[in-house]
């Protein structure tokens, strides 16, 4: 069992930056592919970014490529999402996710966090 707790959301002006953190419980954090998803009001949840077990491979949605960076610190059981050049359309609840295999890329990860709100004002 893995518990995921996100933090770092908030209100920011367009063009600003935020860094989200996701702290995971358990001693097998490095065994999990980690990812971030988001859900805007009235829209379906969508993939944002993912990072491999060791952090050597990352994947991004086209909408955030070049602006967002996912990273992880396996010693701290934490995954991060650095968000720069934020736009109003980035406004959403952001969810951390964990999976032992391909669930992140398939949109069906084993574990979800509770979400953190990010609001970007114009």
């Amino acid at each position: 069992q893995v518990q995921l707790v996100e933090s770092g959301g908030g209100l920011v002006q367009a063009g600003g930056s935020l860094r989200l953190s996701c702290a995971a419980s358990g001693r097998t954090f490095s065994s999990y592919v980690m990812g971030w998803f988001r859900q805007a009001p009235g829209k379906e949840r969508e993939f944002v970014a993912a990072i491999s077990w060791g952090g050597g491979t990352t994947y991004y949605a086209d909408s955030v490529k070049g602006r967002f960076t996912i990273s992880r610190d396996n010693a701290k059981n934490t995954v991060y999402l650095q968000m720069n050049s934020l736009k109003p359309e980035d406004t959403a609840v952001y969810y951390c996710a964990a999976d032992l295999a391909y669930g992140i890329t398939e949109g069906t990860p084993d574990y979800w966090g509770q979400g953190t709100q990010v609001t970007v004002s114009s």
Side-chain angles (χ1 to χ4, degrees):
Q1 187 78 8
V2 174
Q3 291 186 324
L4 305 172
V5 179
E6 302 98 332
S7 61
L11 174 64
V12 63
Q13 289 188 333
S17 299
L18 281 176
R19 188 175 83 154
L20 305 183
S21 299
C22 172
S25 65
R27 295 175 290 178
T28 59
F29 177 74
S30 61
S31 299
Y32 289 86
V33 175
M34 300 298 297
W36 290 93
F37 291 76
R38 67 186 182 185
Q39 187 168 20
K43 295 186 177 181
E44 294 187 353
R45 191 174 299 188
E46 64 175 2
F47 168 78
V48 175
I51 188 166
S52 60
W53 303 272
T57 303
T58 56
Y59 306 90
Y60 296 95
D62 288 343
S63 58
V64 307
K65 205 171 291 183
R67 300 187 297 122
F68 290 11
T69 303
I70 188 171
S71 61
R72 67 190 295 163
D73 185 337
N74 287 344
K76 295 183 178 179
N77 282 14
T78 302
V79 62
Y80 305 97
L81 185 68
Q82 177 67 43
M83 306 185 293
N84 298 329
S85 302
L86 283 161
K87 305 174 181 180
E89 51 264 43
D90 294 318
T91 295
V93 177
Y94 283 71
Y95 297 89
C96 178
D99 194 85
L100 285 171
Y102 303 104
I104 298 290
T105 54
E106 294 173 352
T108 56
D110 294 329
Y111 301 102
W112 292 99
Q114 83 289 351
T116 185
Q117 176 70 46
V118 171
T119 303
V120 184
S121 63
S122 57

